[in-house]
Amino acid sequence: MDFQTAREFVVRQTLGTREDLPDTFIACLRQGKPPVPGQVTSLLLALKVLFEGLKNEPTLDRTLTQALFILAYESRQLYTQGKKAGVSWPPMLDEDLGRIGKAAQSIVFGEWMG
């Protein structure tokens, strides 16, 4: 996966509208549905590619920063809300969200936290 593909994937999985992209990572969580198989793995790969491409950059663009915030913060909030509402999440999703959050944090801080 190259940098541009990784960026587009992360943005699409978080900022795409539910109507246009009903099976994006964040749309699934908002609907109380588990992510599509392979989605978390692809997100983690994309985040690692973004980290490598951005680790020496002095600034981040707003769109990507919004996507990283949604991945790190909103996905965790949606998971917690779903759990309280009785959603049966996949067993590894809690740990996966932790990895996603650390990867997003790594991009923002410029140092791999993984």
Side-chain angles (χ1 to χ4, degrees):
M1 182 180 293
D2 66 21
F3 181 85
Q4 191 58 35
T5 302
R7 185 188 182 288
E8 289 172 9
F9 182 74
V10 168
V11 168
R12 188 174 53 250
Q13 291 298 311
T14 55
L15 299 177
T17 64
R18 188 179 338 178
E19 295 78 27
D20 294 338
L21 305 164
D23 291 332
T24 64
F25 178 74
I26 206 69
C28 287
L29 295 181
R30 286 176 180 156
Q31 297 170 57
K33 297 184 340 188
V36 174
Q39 211 165 31
V40 169
T41 302
S42 295
L43 271 171
L44 289 169
L45 173 61
L47 291 169
K48 182 67 172 168
V49 169
L50 290 176
F51 171 77
E52 291 299 327
L54 294 169
K55 65 183 173 185
N56 295 319
E57 291 297 317
T59 61
L60 298 174
D61 72 78
R62 186 176 303 274
T63 300
L64 181 58
T65 304
Q66 289 172 335
L68 294 173
F69 177 81
I70 288 170
L71 282 175
Y73 180 76
E74 187 178 346
S75 64
R76 175 58 67 186
Q77 298 301 310
L78 292 168
Y79 174 84
T80 301
Q81 289 171 7
K83 195 166 181 141
K84 287 179 182 176
V87 173
S88 179
W89 295 116
M92 295 296 295
L93 185 57
D94 186 32
E95 291 177 32
D96 288 338
L97 292 176
R99 285 190 281 276
I100 288 170
K102 284 192 181 286
Q105 180 182 4
S106 297
I107 293 167
V108 172
F109 290 179
E111 182 180 323
W112 190 252
M113 311 282 179

